[in-house]
Amino acid sequence: ALVLQGAASAWTVEPSVLLPEDRGTPLYAAQSAVSLAQATELALQRYPGQVVRAETVTRGGRQEHQIRVLGADGRVRTVRIDAQTGAFL
């Protein structure tokens, strides 16, 4: 894992990148209640489009999944989902 420390907070980036062609196949099983693949599906249900990047990060001591979705309108959205609860952040 890569650890970046700043003045106000610390980020840990887990090696859990899910590429669009791998969607639905978990590449890395993080110890969480909601997998990256499940979070990706939740994001696509709310914001239909193409996943351009998906990763799991630890922010403020909490794991979250960050999914970037390119919508049909050309807009890129970053969707954040709590890895424990599946709640949109």
Side-chain angles (χ1 to χ4, degrees), residues 6-84:
S9 66
W11 283 71
T12 304
V13 179
E14 301 291 333
S16 57
V17 176
L18 182 66
L19 301 175
E21 60 269 14
D22 297 320
R23 196 181 72 208
T25 305
L27 298 177
Y28 171 77
Q31 292 182 1
S32 62
V34 178
S35 71
L36 182 59
Q38 291 169 325
T40 300
E41 292 302 321
L42 290 172
L44 287 174
Q45 287 174 10
R46 183 171 285 188
Y47 302 105
Q50 180 180 2
V51 174
V52 294
R53 183 178 178 132
E55 63 185 345
T56 301
V57 299
T58 301
R59 183 175 181 187
R62 177 179 73 195
Q63 279 195 326
E64 67 180 49
H65 302 300
Q66 295 180 351
I67 299 100
R68 289 193 184 136
V69 179
L70 173 62
D73 59 358
R75 184 175 177 185
V76 176
R77 289 185 169 84
T78 299
V79 182
R80 296 172 43 224
I81 298 177
D82 186 290
Q84 289 301 315

